[in-house]
Amino acid sequence: MSLDKATVRSIAELARIEVAEDELDHLAGELSNILTFVEQLAQVDTEGVAPMTSVVAMSLPMREDAVTDGHQAEAVLANAPEAQDGFFTVPKVVE
Amino acid sequence: MRELTKLTIAEAGRRMAKGEFTAVELTRAHIAAMGAKKGLNAYITETPELALEQAKAADLRRQAGAVGALSGIPLGIKDLFCTKGVQTTAASRILEGFTPHYESTVSGKLLAAGAVTLGKLNLDEFAMGSSNMTSAYGAVENPWRSQADPGTALVPGGSSGGSAAAVAARIAMGATGTDTGGSIRQPAAFCGIVGIKPTYGRCSRWGIVAFASSLDQAGPMARTVEDCALMLNAMAGHDPKDSTSAPVAVPDFAAALTGDIRGLKVGIPAEYRPDGLSAEVAKVWQQGIAWLKDAGATPVEISLPHTKDALPTYYIVAPAEASSNLARYDGVRFGLRVPGTSLDDMYRKTRAAGFGKEVRRRILIGTYVLSAGYYDAYYAKAQKVRRLIADDFATAFETVDVILTPTAPTPAFAIGANTDDPVTMWLNDVFTIPTSLAGLPGLSLPAGLSADGLPLGLQLIGRPFDEETVFRVAGVMERAAGFAALPEGV
């Protein structure tokens, strides 16, 4: 698979990472090489093979639906770059 | 005092029990050694005051007769484990200044066992790398130098490069590592120490900065097999806070070191002998087989036919999971924020400034293989091949008890090498990645030196939750190898 600049631009947008225009060519080459490398898997016969989602043969544990933690707003916010009145703050999203 | 830093964990524990020295003395010796080895750049954050406080507490507890299994033992913690009140960076700019308000389960268990923590160890950014060169805090130097070219600094391997370098340089008696595709085993091999990635689920992942959640597993790195067993005793165990942590009993791993491997069948996979395998690595592997034979085990030729598919499978699964896990770095809840004109613009600028090139590359690949229209061709396909790889091992373990392979295809390389093409760098992990994909325990131990005097490692792979057999065989090989070489200045 060979990616073009426009595709790299749209992947970067999906990943929310700003990529400078003059980096797109280089990145397209690098990512294309990686995809070509991983595409060798197409030759492996996986007919009838179930996808492996977990290496441990176990079902997810259940627990009682009860509150076991809380009242830690200060600790939760302690590392926020910007917080105010017990909330995280972000740039304005509603006009 | 320098002699104290050369002891093994087991020996230091015995001698402190006899009252020959205190935890404070042992810790002071390590702090002094850390000062002399700053050039290695093994630690991102040193915590000498905290370490001395913990050591004093350990000495007081010993006087009161209450002694944990690792009481007073100075360890380093990979800077991927959240540590309460101590900055945790994952070697990334994006987590700069992040100081957790909680302790990871594994580091908390080590503290509960009485360990002293010397600081947070350098690593590849978000554990993505095999050289420690992707760290935002600079490369780590391997304490070993090639006799042919002693002026060139070598990589310690990665991603647990700071952990391996610190243990080898005697500025920690042991260290925590994490392993997603070889990040404990390859650096252990490059630095001439022992490291084990336990079975997936053996150690809790709670409080460890996530890279690829279906693969990530914590494990110990130390200078002897017994020391790794002692550390894993403390680190392992079920944790309700990690739903993938296995609710199985933890045996005494140190008790597994019986020295008796008579009758064991050791698998030797044909596929681990690719054309490019260095002659020195092939030779040490043959030597390893001979040691096991001498000890009464039987080598058995086996086939793991999907070995060659493991690397491409890993480089779909791991970036896919990484792109999801690393979505949390958004400039809102912790770490770096770069202002933008809108919320999206703030995200984009923060993530562009905060992530290094390798991390960005993997997020982009992961985003692509998970995106609409490509999911089945890449991610679903990789998950199917992953099952075939795991099935290969399951079939092999119907006839053998343990598998012996080289840990890495080459000894340590120079800082700055292998950076032109990411895929070339990834080949370092060709022998460790299949084990990770199958979730099996894998241990690397130093088996000999290359012609240039660099350590070479061998890997032992076991059945799920059978670390005991892996430790037992490793103990026998360790004795046979008699690896006593020391890096420069130790």
Side-chain angles (χ1 to χ4, degrees), chain B residues 369-409:
Chain B
V369 301
L370 291 177
S371 62
Y374 296 101
Y375 183 91
D376 284 337
Y378 291 104
Y379 192 65
K381 179 79 183 182
Q383 284 184 312
K384 289 177 187 170
V385 181
R386 184 175 183 183
R387 181 173 301 279
L388 294 174
I389 293 164
D391 287 350
D392 280 358
F393 281 106
T395 305
F397 280 122
E398 285 169 13
T399 44
V400 300
D401 301 295
V402 70
I403 294 170
L404 179 73
T405 77
T407 307

Side-chain angles (χ1 to χ4, degrees), chain B residues 305-330:
Chain B
H306 294 92
T307 298
K308 66 175 189 323
D309 305 317
L311 211 53
T313 300
Y314 179 84
Y315 279 100
I316 293 172
V317 172
E321 295 184 14
S323 77
S324 306
N325 269 325
L326 273 61
R328 78 192 66 193
Y329 303 102
D330 57 4

Side-chain angles (χ1 to χ4, degrees), chain B residues 34-377:
Chain B
M34 284 159 72
K37 295 275 179 196
K38 277 215 190 297
L40 296 176
N41 197 29
Y43 284 88
I44 290 177
T45 307
E46 296 184 352
T47 55
E49 297 86 7
L50 176 65
L52 283 170
E53 237 173 75
Q54 293 165 335
K56 272 180 209 149
D59 283 334
L60 285 175
R61 281 196 307 270
R62 192 179 292 280
Q63 284 167 15
V67 181
L70 297 171
S71 188
I73 300 295
L75 303 175
I77 304 294
K78 185 179 184 179
D79 206 12
L80 204 63
F81 292 79
C82 287
T83 42
K84 191 174 183 177
V86 178
Q87 168 178 265
T88 299
T89 70
S92 180
R93 288 283 167 229
I94 211 157
L95 269 174
E96 213 167 63
F98 172 61
T99 305
H101 277 236
Y102 50 87
E103 187 78 29
S104 82
T105 297
V106 163
S107 56
K109 278 171 166 277
L110 288 169
L111 291 173
V116 168
T117 52
L118 297 164
K120 304 299 292 289
L121 292 159
N122 208 337
L123 64 153
D124 280 295
E125 185 178 2
F126 283 109
M128 297 182 195
S130 312
S131 67
N132 217 115
M133 282 192 283
T134 73
S135 168
Y137 294 83
V140 173
E141 269 188 28
N142 191 325
W144 293 83
R145 295 280 174 119
S146 158
Q147 282 159 10
D149 185 9
T152 299
L154 306 176
V155 302
S159 69
S160 310
S163 301
V167 172
R170 275 64 180 169
I171 54 175
M173 302 196 94
T176 61
T178 63
D179 191 312
T180 303
S183 281
I184 287 176
R185 293 160 284 163
Q186 181 253 20
F190 277 18
C191 292
I193 64 164
V194 184
I196 179 170
K197 178 199 90 74
T199 311
Y200 182 83
R202 183 61 97 177
C203 291
S204 169
R205 293 183 296 109
W206 194 82
I208 301 173
V209 175
F211 160 14
S213 303
S214 79
L215 296 156
D216 296 345
Q217 185 58 205
M221 304 171 78
R223 293 190 289 266
T224 66
V225 174
E226 184 186 20
D227 284 1
C228 279
L230 292 171
M231 281 184 70
L232 188 59
N233 279 348
M235 295 164 69
H238 176 242
D239 177 10
K241 287 191 282 194
D242 171 5
S243 63
T244 61
S245 145
V248 296
V250 180
D252 179 352
F253 297 115
L257 300 171
T258 60
D260 184 2
I261 59 163
R262 283 173 298 173
L264 273 192
K265 291 201 174 87
V266 183
I268 311 298
E271 290 79 6
Y272 282 60
R273 208 174 282 118
D275 292 342
L277 185 64
S278 107
E280 293 180 318
V281 173
K283 197 176 141 200
V284 85
W285 191 17
Q286 280 313 310
Q287 181 62 66
I289 296 168
W291 288 330
L292 294 176
K293 258 192 194 161
D294 290 347
T298 312
V300 180
E301 288 284 331
I302 57 166
S303 175
L304 300 167
H306 294 92
T307 298
K308 66 175 189 323
D309 305 317
L311 211 53
T313 300
Y314 179 84
Y315 279 100
I316 293 172
V317 172
E321 295 184 14
S323 77
S324 306
N325 269 325
L326 273 61
R328 78 192 66 193
Y329 303 102
D330 57 4
V332 176
R333 288 159 297 165
F334 29 66
L336 184 74
R337 169 184 287 198
V338 177
T341 53
S342 65
L343 182 61
D344 270 331
D345 194 47
M346 187 275 282
Y347 290 155
R348 283 190 292 260
K349 287 195 159 64
T350 297
R351 290 163 63 80
F355 292 135
K357 284 203 161 72
E358 179 70 17
V359 173
R360 179 178 73 172
R361 192 153 46 220
R362 296 200 196 186
I363 291 175
L364 293 177
I365 285 290
T367 304
Y368 183 73
V369 301
L370 291 177
S371 62
Y374 296 101
Y375 183 91
D376 284 337

